[in-house]
Amino acid sequence: MTDLQKQVREAADRLVESGEERGLQVAVYRDGEQIVDVVAGVADPETGRPVTSDTPFYNFSIGKGATATVAHVLVERGLFGYDTPVAELWPEFARHGKQGVTVRHVLSHTAGVPGVPLDTTPEDVCDWDTMVAALENAELWWEPGTKVGYHAYTFGFLVGEIVRRATGKPISQVLLDDVTTPLGVADELYFGMPEKEHARLARLEDAPVDMSAFADMPADLPMFKAGPMTLMPTAELGNRPDYLSADIPAGGKTSARAIARMYAALLGEVDGTRLISAERLREVTAVVSSGVDEVFGMPSTWGLGYSIGGHATAEENPTRFGMAGAGGSTAWADTATGVVFALTKNRLTNDFAAAELIGGIVTNG
């Protein structure tokens, strides 16, 4: 056992023993090789089923990294470009003045369609055609490219429908054919997950949350106009069988090692597979948009589909790119060091304490 593997294992065990975490996975790649594979705790508290390295977790927005990766693989093949108008592939999207929205705008969260209708139900989110129709009928919040705002749900359906129009296949099929199968992780990284596989998933639970912060927020905040509170990420939502089966590419179901392997194959070759060229990597990890987020109000910096800085800020980690997920899971790669880090967990917290603790060990190790 390497010293780094030992340090990470001890930290993960302490987090579970203290009750801060229920079950988690940590995977680290460096230069295309996996150097850390750690699991701790239980995947299902009711049965005591332990977390194993191949246990998939519903990780909410971590899945956006896979969504963006599918788009880049298709751009690499020439199916569309970053400056292709979305309506060129998907004519119905042009309604209400959206004809100027490009693939680049969508990937950099500057498209100006960050919201879903306020009467959207979880059942609606599981119905592809319903969500596509909502986007076709959506009106712009701002002129595309002029402002940045997190497209929490709409990012996945926008990219997913672009992919479907360009290939004729659902994005889950393209992920399977062009990303997870070549990388050998087809049974660990999904958008829609077949129902017969659900028993393998970790069960999510909510850590206690101080709701008083929400009570003090003004009712007219943009985040409250971007979708109903019933769609906010919770364990109940992430355990729903229909959410697990549906293609909702704003999120994903994955093990830490599967999403880490995907990022490693963006940085370079992993067992003979490289997903995009070195030139494309430089393009997608360059800053495309930055500023105060119009929806959630925090500073944000985006490449093409990836947050620059990972779950930290771009100033702190300018060479990191990746996606964090509501609840505290994260996955990122560092173009400067060749290191990839992923942490998945089933206790949904409102911070990234576990990722910061163990990520710090990895960075300094």
Side-chain angles (χ1 to χ4, degrees), residues 64-287:
K64 288 186 175 75
T67 305
T69 296
V70 169
H72 300 317
V73 167
L74 297 182
V75 172
E76 188 99 332
R77 292 202 190 140
L79 271 71
F80 50 85
Y82 298 124
D83 294 313
T84 301
V86 175
E88 191 176 296
L89 299 159
W90 172 10
E92 300 88 341
F93 181 72
R95 289 178 202 150
H96 304 300
K98 299 195 297 294
Q99 64 277 1
V101 176
T102 65
V103 174
R104 185 183 303 275
H105 293 144
V106 170
L107 289 170
S108 60
H109 293 263
T110 62
V113 283
V116 298
L118 290 177
D119 60 355
T120 303
T121 65
E123 290 80 8
D124 291 333
V125 174
C126 296
D127 188 283
W128 191 267
D129 292 341
T130 297
M131 298 309 288
V132 165
L135 286 167
E136 291 169 356
N137 293 322
E139 297 185 8
L140 291 169
W141 285 35
W142 60 78
E143 183 67 25
T146 63
K147 295 178 179 178
V148 59
Y150 189 48
H151 287 48
Y153 269 100
T154 59
F155 177 89
F157 293 106
L158 287 165
V159 177
E161 187 64 6
I162 289 165
V163 167
R164 193 179 75 84
R165 298 290 178 127
T167 64
K169 297 189 288 189
I171 189 170
S172 54
Q173 189 64 46
V174 183
L175 179 77
L176 177 67
D177 293 345
D178 299 341
V179 178
T180 60
T181 296
L183 288 173
V185 292
D187 58 350
E188 292 181 38
L189 172 55
Y190 305 84
F191 294 126
M193 189 177 187
E195 195 168 346
K196 67 183 191 320
E197 302 290 335
H198 289 190
R200 298 171 42 226
L201 279 155
R203 296 287 297 173
L204 304 183
E205 62 179 57
D206 295 313
V209 176
D210 181 3
M211 296 303 289
S212 63
F214 283 101
D216 295 337
M217 289 180 176
D220 60 350
L221 275 185
M223 66 176 280
F224 295 129
K225 298 175 186 173
M229 292 297 283
T230 51
L231 298 184
M232 294 285 277
T234 60
E236 182 184 3
L237 211 56
N239 287 329
R240 285 177 63 121
D242 54 354
Y243 251 61
L244 297 171
S245 296
D247 275 350
I248 307 172
K253 301 91 191 180
T254 184
S255 65
R257 71 179 184 184
I259 197 76
R261 192 170 175 84
M262 182 202 79
Y263 276 104
L266 291 170
L267 289 180
E269 204 169 280
V270 178
D271 293 336
T273 295
R274 180 164 191 170
L275 294 173
I276 59 174
S277 66
E279 294 76 20
R280 175 92 42 218
L281 177 68
R282 281 194 290 274
E283 184 174 9
V284 305
T285 58
V287 173

Side-chain angles (χ1 to χ4, degrees), residues 19-24 42-43 45 56-62 153 202-211 214 231-240 243-244 252 324-330 343-354:
E20 291 176 61
E21 299 298 341
R22 180 72 74 175
L24 70 157
V42 294
F57 288 63
Y58 190 3
N59 285 293
F60 294 101
S61 290
I62 279 189
Y153 269 100
R203 296 287 297 173
L204 304 183
E205 62 179 57
D206 295 313
V209 176
D210 181 3
M211 296 303 289
F214 283 101
L231 298 184
M232 294 285 277
T234 60
E236 182 184 3
L237 211 56
N239 287 329
R240 285 177 63 121
Y243 251 61
L244 297 171
S329 296
T330 193
L343 182 146
T344 54
K345 63 201 197 76
N346 55 358
R347 193 165 197 256
L348 304 183
T349 55
N350 60 356
D351 59 33
F352 292 94

Side-chain angles (χ1 to χ4, degrees), residues 288-343:
V288 178
S289 62
S290 63
V292 175
D293 189 284
E294 290 289 318
V295 182
F296 293 96
M298 72 290 187
S300 62
T301 307
W302 292 97
L304 289 172
Y306 311 108
S307 175
I308 305 303
H311 66 268
T313 66
E315 289 75 27
E316 289 174 285
N317 298 296
T319 57
R320 277 187 198 171
F321 68 100
M323 280 302 302
S329 296
T330 193
W332 51 257
D334 193 322
T335 56
T337 62
V339 169
V340 176
F341 173 77
L343 182 146

